[in-house]
Amino acid sequence: MNFDWQIQYRTLVSFLGNVLGKDYEIVLHDFSRTDNTIIAIVNEHVSGRDINTPASLAELTIIRNKEYINNPYILNYEGISIRNQQLRCSCFFIKGENGKLLGMLCINFNQQKYNQFAYDVMDFIQSNLYADINPAIPDNLYVDFIKNQTKTTSPDYEAIFYETLGVAPHTKKLNQYERIKFIREIYNRGIFQVKGAVSKIASLTDCSTASIYRYLSIIKKNPLAST
């Protein structure tokens, strides 16, 4: 029986590795082996492991907690590669008679470059939104502003928050008027061009980045608006 499932799943490892691509590591474990349980692996560069190596700490924890008893699989748990990169992992439990755990088929995804791509897109959107809501800034002043940003430290958002609203961040729940008042002050100071400004302001005002863009749109249409 063990021989049959191993042959079948080894073929599946190869198949999934080719279908999903190089950012997905496919691993097959055989738990009849006491130590080095990996018997097949493709795209091993994702975790840095290779064949005949032990299960990861995350995998061992799942087994120790006997997650396989009531679950056919576990999705989207966190793993770490040997290069300390975060991985998104899922595993399928291979069971025999009476629910005995024979092995696991694991898929480990390195999403680092996709996260970086998302951050780059948000920065691009942020920069273009700023240019769109500031059409009256003369080109020479805009260039001077960019040059000055490279020579100065990051804006003191907390100080501006206190100066504008008279309270420290996260000490009270802000209403819409207060959020717009603070965001308008940031906007008037030209700080939205600074990398990471939107996410920082969203954190200080306890709202989403999408809400920050919505408030900016309100300010653009009516600089004196409060609702």
Side-chain angles (χ1 to χ4, degrees):
M1 179 179 179
N2 286 356
F3 179 78
D4 291 339
W5 78 259
Q6 290 173 1
I7 291 178
Q8 181 179 6
Y9 279 94
R10 283 177 189 271
T11 303
L12 186 58
V13 166
S14 177
F15 170 73
L16 290 174
N18 281 289
V19 169
L20 296 176
K22 64 181 180 179
D23 294 317
Y24 289 84
E25 176 186 76
I26 318 298
V27 185
L28 180 62
H29 292 278
D30 177 4
F31 293 128
S32 67
R33 303 161 62 124
T34 55
D35 294 320
N36 300 329
T37 61
I38 296 180
I39 61 171
I41 184 171
V42 295
N43 299 328
E44 57 269 26
H45 59 274
V46 170
S47 71
R49 295 181 295 175
D50 54 32
I51 201 165
N52 295 322
T53 55
S56 69
L57 178 61
E59 292 162 345
L60 290 173
T61 300
I62 289 173
I63 298 168
R64 189 181 306 116
N65 293 338
K66 297 185 176 181
E67 300 282 355
Y68 58 88
I69 293 178
N70 296 315
N71 299 290
Y73 49 78
I74 300 292
L75 300 176
N76 298 324
Y77 60 90
E78 182 178 319
I80 301 294
S81 75
I82 63 173
R83 293 180 297 277
N84 204 34
Q85 294 178 328
Q86 185 175 355
L87 306 176
R88 178 157 56 85
C89 307
S90 299
C91 66
F92 178 82
F93 301 120
I94 304 169
K95 304 178 187 180
E97 296 178 356
N98 301 319
K100 179 181 178 181
L101 185 64
L102 301 177
M104 283 199 314
L105 178 68
C106 301
I107 300 178
N108 305 316
F109 173 49
N110 184 350
Q111 60 188 34
Q112 184 176 16
K113 71 179 182 182
Y114 301 96
N115 289 341
Q116 186 60 52
F117 175 74
Y119 296 146
D120 291 343
V121 169
M122 288 303 297
D123 283 340
F124 175 79
I125 292 173
Q126 177 183 331
S127 298
N128 281 273
L129 177 64
Y130 180 85
D132 180 58
I133 63 179
N134 291 275
I137 299 180
D139 289 343
N140 62 321
L141 293 182
Y142 184 78
V143 171
D144 289 342
F145 171 76
I146 296 298
K147 290 180 179 179
N148 289 334
Q149 287 301 319
T150 64
K151 300 176 182 177
T152 59
T153 58
S154 178
D156 191 340
Y157 296 97
E158 288 81 1
I160 299 172
F161 188 100
Y162 184 83
E163 177 185 333
T164 304
L165 300 179
V167 295
H170 309 302
T171 57
K172 61 166 288 189
K173 182 176 178 61
L174 300 181
N175 57 38
Q176 188 176 32
Y177 171 81
E178 291 168 323
R179 285 192 177 112
I180 291 179
K181 183 178 180 181
F182 173 60
I183 292 168
R184 185 192 300 115
E185 181 64 25
I186 295 292
Y187 161 68
N188 288 339
R189 296 190 186 204
I191 293 175
F192 275 104
Q193 182 60 33
V194 177
K195 185 176 182 179
V198 172
S199 59
K200 178 65 176 179
I201 294 163
S203 174
L204 289 174
T205 55
D206 296 316
C207 61
S208 67
T209 55
S211 295
I212 299 299
Y213 289 123
R214 181 169 61 84
Y215 289 137
L216 279 170
S217 179
I218 292 172
I219 293 169
K220 175 188 173 183
K221 293 176 183 177
N222 183 2
L224 299 179
S226 59
T227 58

